[in-house]
């Protein structure tokens, strides 16, 4: 069974005038049907305004569909008596870590979620410890969150969600406000959760480098899923991605450019190592007069 499933999901934001009459409609999600398998690492990408956040908010019942249906762990998100339960199954991490941390101490902050769920105290401490260890922040448990770096704060937010024992974590651009080392920390922690703890991860990002380890990628455009596939399938379509106003990882772009100029490299190269390997294997055409083998001139050109 899928952990998240949507069928013909449509969501419209209504703009109302002072009298409450509808004066405009934005179709933010437009006929999206998707399935997310338990335990998968999913990435959702798309330019600004393509509907990623609106879609994400359906995955833990923050929003209800205008049309169509969303199921989380088999529960229809429109069932009002299940909203609380759905919120626990699918935890959410947002962009700004400062808005998500409320505790005076790291361990307190992580304990808030399970405390609100009515988890017994002893169990709370166990979960706090496990969650902080899972994101590599256990040694900071008695620190004040204010003194942490952005990447560390975001890892504490993730621990806070983990402590509620969700089936799935939805992260909406969790690295957008972080520097490169903070981004790396957060992505490593998230990958570890997925691999070691088997938590389903749904990562929304506009950094293409963060997508390459996903099991599946959804590319959104104007509220629709424009492309879906493995990272390699997606990044093999460089021109299509550029049409969809997305950046492509630099190394993928370089490999694509080399192919355009006639080098027979495979499509969808995702990492520097892959490119180096492909170039090493490449059979270079022999020059007519190679240095050391022929004439004395031509060595520099
Ligand atoms: P993304 O996360 O990909 O940037 P969003 O889901 O935030 O996209 O937005 C999709 C569309 O819905 C955009 O056109 C945006 O302007 C609009 N939108 C988002 N939030 C609201 C809102 N609260 N009220 C009205 N329109 C909104
Ligand atoms: Mg967004």
């Amino acid at each position: 069974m899928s952990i998240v499933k949507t069928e013909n999901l449509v969501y419209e934001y209504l703009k109302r005038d002072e009298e409450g009459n509808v004066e405009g409609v934005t179709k933010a999600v437009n006929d999206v049907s998707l399935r997310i398998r338990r335990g998968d690492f999913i990435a959702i990408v798309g330019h600004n305004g393509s509907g990623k956040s609106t879609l994400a908010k359906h995955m833990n019942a923050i929003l209800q569909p205008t049309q169509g249906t969303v199921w989380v762990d088999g529960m229809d998100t429109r069932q009002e008596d299940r909203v609380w339960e759905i919120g626990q199954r699918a935890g959410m991490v947002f962009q700004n870590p400062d808005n998500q941390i409320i505790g005076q101490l790291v361990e307190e902050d992580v304990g808030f979620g399970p405390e609100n769920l009515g988890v017994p105290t002893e169990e709370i401490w166990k979960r706090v410890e496990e969650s902080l260890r899972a994101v590599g922040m256990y040694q900071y448990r008695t620190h004040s969150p204010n003194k942490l770096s952005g990447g560390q704060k975001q890892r504490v937010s993730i621990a806070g969600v983990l402590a509620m024992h969700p089936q799935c974590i939805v992260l909406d651009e969790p690295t957008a406000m972080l520097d490169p080392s903070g981004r790396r920390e957060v992505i490593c922690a998230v990958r570890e959760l997925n691999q070691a703890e088997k938590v389903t991860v749904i990562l929304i990002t506009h950094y293409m480098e963060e997508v390459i380890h996903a099991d599946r990628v959804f590319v959104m455009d104007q509220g629709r899923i424009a492309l879906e596939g493995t990272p390699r399938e997606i990044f093999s379509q460089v021109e299509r991605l550029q049409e969809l106003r997305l950046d492509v990882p630099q190394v993928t772009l370089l490999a694509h450019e080399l192919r355009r100029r006639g080098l027979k490299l495979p499509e969808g190269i995702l990492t520097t190592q892959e490119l180096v390997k492909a170039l090493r294997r490449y059979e270079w055409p022999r020059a007519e007069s190679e240095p050391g083998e022929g004439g004395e001139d031509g060595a520099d050109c």
Side-chain angles (χ1 to χ4, degrees):
M1 191 179 61
S2 315
I3 180 77
V4 176
K5 184 174 149 192
T6 77
E7 214 158 78
N8 306 111
L9 172 65
V10 172
Y11 187 82
E12 292 173 344
Y13 290 104
L14 302 181
K15 191 169 168 221
R16 293 177 190 275
D17 64 15
E18 281 137 34
E19 275 126 50
N21 303 312
V22 176
E23 48 171 28
V25 176
T26 307
K27 203 173 260 192
V29 173
N30 190 358
D31 198 19
V32 167
S33 300
L34 58 77
R35 279 158 193 257
I36 294 177
R37 285 186 315 187
R38 214 173 274 278
D40 266 1
F41 187 138
I42 299 296
I44 303 180
V45 297
H47 59 82
N48 265 346
S50 57
K52 305 181 296 297
S53 295
T54 307
L55 175 62
K57 286 177 188 155
H58 282 82
M59 295 182 180
N60 65 348
I62 296 176
L63 292 177
Q64 315 281 315
T66 306
Q67 283 168 41
T69 315
V70 177
W71 294 267
V72 176
D73 208 5
M75 293 178 282
D76 183 337
T77 61
R78 261 202 280 236
Q79 289 174 275
E80 279 178 21
D81 53 335
R82 304 305 276 283
V83 167
W84 168 251
E85 216 176 315
I86 291 168
Q88 282 176 51
R89 305 272 168 114
M92 189 119 181
V93 176
F94 296 96
Q95 203 175 89
N96 189 342
D98 291 321
N99 296 344
Q100 297 171 79
I101 291 183
I102 34 179
Q104 301 290 314
L105 297 178
V106 165
E107 57 185 7
E108 226 174 78
D109 189 83
V110 175
F112 272 130
E115 196 179 352
N116 277 336
L117 298 179
V119 173
T121 313
E122 216 169 293
E123 167 75 10
I124 294 178
W125 287 115
K126 208 173 124 225
R127 290 191 186 192
V128 167
E129 177 175 342
E130 280 167 5
S131 310
L132 283 172
R133 283 194 196 280
V135 298
M137 287 298 290
Y138 183 67
Q139 68 272 38
Y140 293 92
R141 64 194 177 282
T142 55
H143 287 224
S144 156
N146 298 327
K147 304 235 171 76
L148 302 176
S149 71
Q152 291 172 326
K153 282 184 195 166
Q154 204 56 309
R155 285 190 284 155
V156 172
S157 312
I158 295 169
V161 171
L162 261 191
M164 294 194 270
H165 284 183
Q167 306 272 312
C168 136
I169 299 191
V170 185
L171 303 110
D172 192 354
E173 303 206 18
T175 59
M177 304 183 79
L178 307 180
D179 60 15
S181 72
R183 295 216 296 270
R184 212 169 309 119
E185 275 172 39
V186 168
I187 295 303
C188 288
V190 170
R191 286 184 63 199
E192 176 68 17
L193 288 186
N194 175 249
Q195 284 167 4
E197 319 276 324
K198 310 283 178 237
V199 181
T200 310
V201 168
I202 300 163
L203 172 71
I204 298 175
T205 182
H206 63 255
Y207 293 109
M208 292 298 143
E209 281 77 6
E210 298 177 359
V211 167
I212 60 176
H213 302 290
D215 295 305
R216 292 195 80 67
V217 184
F218 294 100
V219 182
M220 289 195 75
D221 181 49
Q222 296 182 23
R224 294 179 185 270
I225 305 285
L227 290 176
E228 178 189 344
T230 62
R232 203 174 300 283
E233 285 163 357
I234 297 291
F235 289 122
S236 297
Q237 306 173 57
V238 170
E239 269 120 28
R240 180 79 179 111
L241 290 173
Q242 286 170 335
E243 268 169 36
L244 295 168
R245 290 183 272 156
L246 286 173
D247 293 329
V248 177
Q250 286 205 330
V251 57
T252 308
L253 212 52
L254 174 60
H256 178 74
E257 209 42 51
L258 291 170
R259 265 174 68 89
R260 271 190 354 126
R261 306 216 174 170
L263 261 73
K264 292 186 180 60
L265 295 172
E267 266 294 4
I269 282 182
L270 299 176
T271 63
T272 312
Q273 291 93 310
E274 281 177 12
L275 180 59
V276 168
K277 218 160 141 190
L279 287 172
R280 282 221 179 104
R281 278 208 210 113
Y282 194 74
E283 288 187 25
W284 299 92
R286 283 174 73 85
E288 276 176 16
S289 156
E290 285 187 20
E293 281 186 25
E296 291 155 24
D297 57 322
D300 296 329
C301 53

